[in-house]
Amino acid sequence: MLSSLINDACFSSNSFFTILWFHREIPTNRRRVNPPIPILVETYGGTPINLSYIEAALGVGMLISTAIIGMIKIRRRGLTSIAGLIATLIVAVAFSQIPNLYILTALAFLIGFTMTFVSIPFFASAQEDTDPRIMGRVMSIVFLAMNGFDPLAYATVTLLVSRGFDIQLVILSFSIVGLIIALFILWRGHTFRSYKSNY
């Protein structure tokens, strides 16, 4: 049970950060939104204040969802994480297609809101049911899966945009690929999907 949960959890974490590399936080760190959003704002003729609104909306969404998660007890944490991941990617698809900066600000709020429902239940589950003797190793693998894609993400987004690909197409493509992976996790990640917390 423990080894299966860890395998499912590591797979979920890895997939999550792969498919959201265009956003740069998943999930929990706002600095990861840097690569595509400024380019998108510039493409739509926005100003630095528009960029500030979008980044602020992202942070407010994460703050509100964190407060909600802190007040309610989530037992089906695996399913909650997967549902949050799918919701984030659906919003990301819309984010790539809507040229209105004010609507993008609202969508950024939703992305921040749903992303927290992925990361917090996942980390809570991973730490609750991991033997303290191997906690360091397990969390090291998880954080490697998270942060290992940072340099690749920055390089990939920059390379594709510099080669003439529209930033909207880049975001859309990775969001669709991510959505496919998320649905695959929902289908195949039986242990993580059915996991229930005892606390």
Side-chain angles (χ1 to χ4, degrees):
M1 168 65 181
L2 176 61
S3 60
S4 179
L5 177 61
I6 292 173
N7 288 337
D8 282 347
C10 289
F11 176 62
S12 299
S13 175
N14 193 358
S15 300
F16 178 64
F17 286 94
T18 303
I19 57 192
L20 287 180
W21 60 6
F22 78 88
H23 203 269
R24 309 317 303 138
E25 131 247 59
I26 187 169
T28 53
N29 193 329
R30 290 182 59 193
R31 70 181 175 81
R32 295 193 175 112
V33 304
N34 287 342
I37 292 184
I39 300 173
L40 197 62
V41 171
E42 183 179 3
T43 299
Y44 292 146
T47 64
I49 193 66
N50 294 119
L51 177 60
S52 298
Y53 288 153
I54 291 175
E55 292 185 339
L58 178 77
V60 170
M62 295 175 68
L63 182 63
I64 292 175
S65 60
T66 299
I68 293 173
I69 293 173
M71 291 186 292
I72 63 176
K73 183 177 291 185
I74 299 176
R75 291 197 179 276
R76 302 199 65 180
R77 293 179 180 169
L79 184 60
T80 300
S81 290
I82 297 173
L85 174 59
I86 293 173
T88 301
L89 291 165
I90 291 173
V91 178
V93 170
F95 191 87
S96 70
Q97 297 301 298
I98 297 177
N100 187 298
L101 290 171
Y102 296 104
I103 297 178
L104 289 182
T105 301
L107 292 177
F109 171 85
L110 292 177
I111 289 176
F113 186 88
T114 54
M115 285 172 73
T116 309
F117 280 91
V118 183
S119 55
I120 293 180
F122 168 74
F123 282 112
S125 300
Q127 294 183 33
E128 273 183 6
D129 291 313
T130 300
D131 190 321
R133 293 174 297 179
I134 61 171
M135 177 71 74
R137 279 177 283 178
V138 171
M139 296 311 296
S140 295
I141 293 172
V142 171
F143 279 100
L144 177 62
M146 288 167 47
N147 297 315
F149 286 101
D150 279 3
L152 183 60
Y154 279 98
T156 302
V157 171
T158 302
L159 178 63
L160 291 175
V161 173
S162 67
R163 291 298 178 89
F165 290 93
D166 291 336
I167 188 62
Q168 300 96 318
L169 178 61
V170 174
I171 296 175
L172 177 64
S173 300
F174 285 120
S175 298
I176 291 175
V177 171
L179 190 56
I180 293 171
I181 295 174
L183 293 173
F184 182 77
I185 296 172
L186 180 63
W187 174 45
R188 297 290 296 174
H190 303 294
T191 303
F192 188 63
R193 185 184 66 222
S194 60
Y195 170 76
K196 291 184 179 180
S197 172
N198 295 322
Y199 303 97

